[in-house]
Amino acid sequence: MYKVIDGKALAENLRSDLKKKISEYKYKYGEDIGLAVVLVGNNPASQVYVRNKIKACEEVGVKSYAYYLPEETSQNELEDLLHSLAEDKNIHGILVQLPLPKHLNAESALKIIPFEKDVDGFSAENVGKLSQNAQCLVACTPNGVMKMLESENISVRGKKAVVIGRSDIVGKPMAMLLLNADATVTVCHSKTQNLKEECLQADILVAAVGKAKFVTADMVKQGAVVIDVGMNRDENGKLCGDVDFDAVKEKCSYITPVPKGVGPMTITMLMYNTYIAALRSRS
Ligand code: NAP
């Protein structure tokens, strides 16, 4: 029998716990926790993401500072704003919604964010610290996955974990977190040979590919834990993951659904990182 890990319920629990902690923080220090969210241009998907992040701030009691910059914003204008946010003591986290319009250099802009305020966990400092298993701000989506495993007391130590995908925002930090938790980790990608054989070894299989129903039942070992990070549209335009859920679930011990799986955990972990960044700014 498989169990579906309810990411929505877990995210709600974590947010209500975070709300209490943030209120204690405000009481103790007499100040808000601030998150700056910078959006350049009119990308509709980015607008939705930013709206959801601001809503989550309201829910947990983080003060959001939203900067909606026009499409034609220059590199200097963006970087001037980021320099001022980097200096601002009221801002504990800075997030630049990606992708930026094509004429802007995201890499150069993101470098301005001090690693202590890099609540996305994308900076070279945070990525480097993660690989050293040192204190850092961890990329939100893979960090959310680890919380989901923890919430079910799924032990990672000594397990064989396979991550499909090696992106900087999901696959690589996911693999590093699993390795830091003592799993034996294999990272697969588009050039991997014998993907099916690799996946069949997995006690814990994480799919972060971006292809609807990519992971099929014949790729999954009986009793495996399957985590679906994918967010795709199926042939009917319905939101679906990277895993063929209905076929795969029967082989699993645990499986995450899409929607209501990893997705709700990502913004929750952003709130968590903002709280952690504020706490660390005090020590
Ligand atoms: P990405 O940057 O496009 O990376 C996809 C990865 O999948 C790449 O490493 C790629 O390999 C690999 N891949 C592609 N085709 C493959 C194949 N046939 N066999 C094996 N590997 C293959 O995507 P991403 O940003 O990591 O996102 C992955 C998925 O997660 C997307 O659906 C995205 O929407 C979703 N996502 C969800 C959340 C959330 O909050 N739930 C957050 C972020 C992302 P190469 O490196 O060789 O190209």
Side-chain angles (χ1 to χ4, degrees), residues 23-189:
S23 134
E24 283 162 18
Y25 175 101
K26 287 199 234 180
Y27 183 74
K28 183 168 178 192
Y29 297 108
E31 278 173 24
D32 278 316
I33 295 178
L35 173 66
V37 182
V38 180
L39 173 63
V40 188
N42 312 311
N43 180 324
S46 293
Q47 286 171 335
V48 173
Y49 293 140
V50 164
R51 208 179 306 134
N52 288 341
K53 288 170 186 175
I54 289 169
K55 224 171 95 190
C57 285
E58 284 162 12
E59 196 185 322
V60 299
V62 165
K63 184 164 183 186
S64 62
Y65 298 79
Y67 296 86
Y68 298 101
L69 306 183
E71 184 81 26
E72 59 277 11
T73 300
S74 69
Q75 188 77 24
N76 278 345
E77 286 167 330
L78 174 62
E79 295 195 358
D80 283 349
L81 171 65
L82 293 174
H83 278 298
S84 75
L85 295 173
E87 295 294 315
D88 191 334
K89 295 264 179 293
N90 295 314
I91 303 284
H92 302 95
I94 305 171
L95 182 153
V96 176
Q97 186 63 47
L98 300 175
L100 287 172
K102 286 205 171 61
H103 67 281
L104 293 173
N105 181 338
E107 201 187 328
S108 148
L110 293 179
K111 273 192 189 146
I112 296 166
I113 302 174
F115 73 89
E116 298 93 337
K117 297 190 179 188
D118 165 37
V119 283
D120 269 331
F122 293 165
S123 67
E125 287 95 334
N126 278 319
V127 171
K129 283 168 192 282
L130 178 64
S131 81
Q132 294 173 331
N133 203 3
Q135 177 178 289
C136 61
L137 292 167
V138 180
C140 299
T141 301
N143 208 12
V145 170
M146 295 308 286
K147 286 270 182 245
M148 294 176 97
L149 296 173
E150 273 168 36
S151 76
E152 297 292 341
N153 293 318
I154 295 167
S155 135
V156 172
R157 175 179 282 191
K159 297 282 169 59
K160 176 98 174 98
V162 174
V163 179
I164 323 175
R166 57 172 166 180
S167 70
D168 290 338
I169 63 166
V170 188
K172 282 184 197 161
M174 184 76 255
M176 201 51 78
L177 283 167
L178 289 163
L179 184 62
N180 289 347
D182 293 330
T184 301
V185 183
T186 301
V187 184
C188 299
H189 47 78

Side-chain angles (χ1 to χ4, degrees), residues 11 13 78 82 105 158 162-163 175 182-183 190 196 219 230 234 241 244 258 260 275:
N13 282 342
L78 174 62
L82 293 174
N105 181 338
V162 174
V163 179
D182 293 330
S190 68
K196 179 176 156 184
M219 295 164 77
D234 70 9
D244 184 359
V258 178
K260 299 184 182 172
Y275 168 68

Side-chain angles (χ1 to χ4, degrees), residues 49 141 164-171 188-192 195 207-211 214 228-232 240-242 261-267:
Y49 293 140
T141 301
I164 323 175
R166 57 172 166 180
S167 70
D168 290 338
I169 63 166
V170 188
C188 299
H189 47 78
S190 68
K191 311 296 182 296
T192 298
L195 180 69
V209 187
K211 292 188 173 157
F214 180 81
D228 191 351
V229 179
M231 282 203 306
N232 315 295
C240 72
D242 286 345
V262 175
M265 293 298 293
T266 297
I267 294 187

Side-chain angles (χ1 to χ4, degrees), residues 199-268:
C199 291
L200 278 169
Q201 300 291 316
D203 302 308
I204 300 170
L205 179 63
V206 181
V209 187
K211 292 188 173 157
K213 300 181 185 176
F214 180 81
V215 175
T216 47
D218 60 337
M219 295 164 77
V220 176
K221 180 165 100 172
Q222 193 70 42
V225 174
V226 174
I227 306 287
D228 191 351
V229 179
M231 282 203 306
N232 315 295
R233 298 275 162 195
D234 70 9
E235 56 281 7
N236 305 313
K238 209 174 131 214
L239 188 63
C240 72
D242 286 345
V243 175
D244 184 359
F245 183 89
D246 286 333
V248 168
K249 66 184 184 192
E250 302 298 342
K251 296 186 86 173
C252 299
S253 51
Y254 293 88
I255 185 166
T256 67
V258 178
K260 299 184 182 172
V262 175
M265 293 298 293
T266 297
I267 294 187
T268 302

